[in-house]
Amino acid sequence: MEALTPSPLNSDDENDSSLAVRAERIPQHPPVKDRETENRVKVSLGRVAYLYAGFLVLFCVTVAGLWFYGADLFRILLHQARAYTPPQSLTWVSLASSLSTAVAFCVMPFLFFRIVRHRSDVPFGWVVLCIAGFLFLCGLTSLLGLLNIWFHGPVAIWSLVLVQLGTALLSVATLLFLRALVPAILQIPTRDEWLALHNDLLRAEAEAEARDNLLRVVSHELRTPLAPLLATLTELENQVAESNDPAVQSSIQVLRQNVLRESQLVTGLLDRLEVPAAGTESEPAPNANKHPHPRRLLLVEDHDDTLRIFARILRHKGFEVEEASTVSEAIAASRPGDLLLSDIALPDGDGKDLMRQLGARGIPGIAISGFGSAKDREEYRRAGFSESLVKPVDIGELMQAIGRVTGAA
């Protein structure tokens, strides 16, 4: 019999596709877990424009009022000012500190921009860019402030004032956005929650893998015993064909119909339970070309009854048949011009590996296995099998598959 433990997938792409399908079945935690909080954030963001417009009006009114009515206040402040000449050391400390702050503020925004650019999954990246812009304008303000210590020309002063104006406008806008987004930011899953989600995904993946393995074993255990039974019925039908005994023919047909019905029930049940494979028809079969009529059939099967009965029937059909029950026996017995009819799970290896080795020698193959899910069939196709049949296989179905592979009528 075939080994009960199925062989692992041989393709990383198939693993990735399987993981993707399983991951879709995991319930994902939304970035904002509380829907009420999410709605409140949307309302707050909608109010930001009105609040910012109110700030602009207040800002303009304040500037205009001070411009027209603040002359007396300006003279009072200027009269109260006292000039102080600091020590030279204090001046240089202040200059170095201001310059360091300005350079740091001007460089940090580029680091924020790099983070947002390479990590598009970071929540609220545009707010990070607003903060980066605010920091850059603060640094530019510090640099222009240092220039105005020694250069009091109109260009330096106007530049400083305009940069300060831009800093004020952007800082208030950033403040309003942050105020609106604080509830949403606080609802971002914590590290422990992300770890819990990751563990859920791993656990679901392990459960899905165990479920797949169980389905494959059940498929094997239910289908494999039917293969020699169906083949025996075919052989018996051929032997009693000349007797023309209606009772015998009727009995054989009853047995055949029930074996096929059992096979269909197993297939239907497993298809309902099967995890679908992604992209199973994405590429054409690698060995879709017709091959010449085989000189010999290389039949590889480790189930003794199936091997013996299939070999006897195929010889009765006029084929030369070479029997093998392991991968090593099949490789040793293979010859150019053979057609491989191989089981998949073999005692010393895998039928797919056998197909890859013999396919490199120009030998085509047909897979005959109890593992018949869509993912299994895709694996057989990738391994190089021109056809794949699921047990129990009727001899007529097998002859049609041989005809398709070899181009025989």
Side-chain angles (χ1 to χ4, degrees):
M1 293 178 62
E2 296 178 348
L4 294 184
T5 303
S7 59
L9 296 180
N10 293 312
S11 169
D12 291 339
D13 293 338
E14 292 167 2
N15 278 325
D16 294 341
S17 299
S18 179
L19 285 177
V21 171
R22 292 164 184 165
E24 291 175 357
R25 300 186 171 213
I26 308 297
Q28 301 294 321
H29 299 297
V32 180
K33 296 174 290 184
D34 189 347
R35 292 301 163 189
E36 183 179 352
T37 301
E38 184 178 12
N39 294 332
R40 188 164 63 249
V41 168
K42 291 181 179 179
V43 173
S44 299
L45 287 176
R47 294 172 53 193
V48 166
Y50 298 102
L51 293 175
Y52 194 69
F55 159 72
L56 290 178
V57 172
L58 180 62
F59 183 84
C60 293
V61 169
T62 302
V63 172
L66 291 174
W67 191 353
F68 289 107
Y69 304 105
D72 294 338
L73 177 61
F74 183 79
R75 282 195 297 269
I76 292 174
L77 294 175
L78 187 64
H79 178 73
Q80 294 294 330
R82 293 291 184 270
Y84 171 71
T85 303
Q88 185 177 0
S89 59
L90 189 62
T91 301
W92 291 121
V93 169
S94 175
L95 177 62
S97 301
S98 299
L99 184 61
S100 299
T101 303
V103 171
F105 276 15
C106 288
V107 172
M108 275 192 291
F110 294 97
L111 301 179
F112 282 116
F113 176 75
R114 181 182 178 186
I115 292 173
V116 174
R117 179 182 177 185
H118 292 280
R119 288 297 305 272
S120 58
D121 59 315
V122 174
F124 314 113
W126 56 275
V127 176
V128 177
L129 293 179
C130 289
I131 297 175
F134 164 69
L135 292 175
F136 181 79
L137 291 178
C138 288
L140 194 58
T141 300
S142 298
L143 288 175
L144 293 175
L146 291 175
L147 292 177
N148 273 275
I149 295 178
W150 292 281
F151 304 99
H152 295 284
V155 175
I157 294 177
W158 274 98
S159 298
L160 176 61
V161 172
L162 291 176
V163 172
Q164 287 176 332
L165 175 62
T167 304
L169 297 178
L170 182 58
S171 62
V172 173
T174 304
L175 172 63
L176 294 177
F177 279 122
L178 279 176
R179 178 179 175 274
L181 291 175
V182 164
I185 294 174
L186 293 178
Q187 292 296 327
I188 294 176
T190 63
R191 179 177 179 274
D192 291 339
E193 290 172 328
W194 284 120
L195 288 176
L197 176 61
H198 177 68
N199 292 333
D200 289 342
L201 178 60
L202 293 179
R203 182 164 51 254
E205 177 192 345
E207 292 174 355
E209 187 68 27
R211 180 169 170 268
D212 283 352
N213 291 338
L214 177 61
L215 288 177
R216 289 166 63 87
V217 171
V218 170
S219 173
H220 160 265
E221 290 299 309
L222 293 178
R223 285 170 169 159
T224 297
L226 298 178
L229 180 58
L230 185 60
T232 301
L233 286 175
T234 300
E235 185 179 27
L236 181 61
E237 186 177 20
N238 293 333
Q239 292 177 356
V240 301
E242 299 178 356
S243 66
N244 294 325
D245 187 339
V248 174
Q249 296 291 341
S250 176
S251 299
I252 292 176
Q253 290 304 319
V254 169
L255 291 173
R256 175 185 294 276
Q257 290 173 4
N258 281 275
V259 169
L260 293 177
R261 184 177 295 113
E262 180 72 16
S263 175
Q264 292 171 357
L265 289 174
V266 171
T267 300
L269 176 62
L270 294 176
D271 286 344
R272 288 177 178 272
L273 298 176
E274 178 190 352
V275 176
T280 56
E281 298 180 357
S282 59
E283 300 175 6
N287 289 335
N289 296 329
K290 300 296 184 181
H291 296 270
H293 191 276
R295 301 176 184 175
R296 188 181 64 166
L297 299 180
L298 178 57
L299 181 60
V300 185
E301 170 63 64
D302 65 335
H303 190 264
D304 293 336
D305 292 339
T306 304
L307 178 63
R308 183 177 63 258
I309 295 172
F310 265 83
R312 187 165 61 235
I313 294 176
L314 289 172
R315 290 191 180 102
H316 186 265
K317 293 290 184 180
F319 290 101
E320 179 186 353
V321 180
E322 178 66 27
E323 302 176 25
S325 58
T326 63
V327 172
S328 56
E329 290 179 6
I331 294 176
S334 63
R335 293 191 315 213
D338 283 348
L339 172 61
L340 175 66
L341 306 178
S342 179
D343 193 6
I344 296 302
L346 298 169
D348 62 341
D350 190 281
K352 292 171 288 186
D353 294 332
L354 174 62
M355 182 67 253
R356 292 187 185 95
Q357 296 185 50
L358 298 186
R361 305 178 189 176
I363 297 177
I366 299 175
I368 304 175
S369 176
F371 301 139
S373 68
K375 185 167 61 177
D376 292 327
R377 289 174 178 269
E378 174 65 7
E379 291 182 41
Y380 305 156
R381 187 193 64 78
R382 290 179 180 273
F385 284 105
S386 300
E387 295 272 346
S388 60
L389 302 177
V390 180
K391 296 178 180 178
V393 179
D394 185 74
I395 191 63
E397 183 183 3
L398 177 58
M399 294 302 296
Q400 291 176 3
I402 294 174
R404 288 192 297 268
V405 173
T406 63

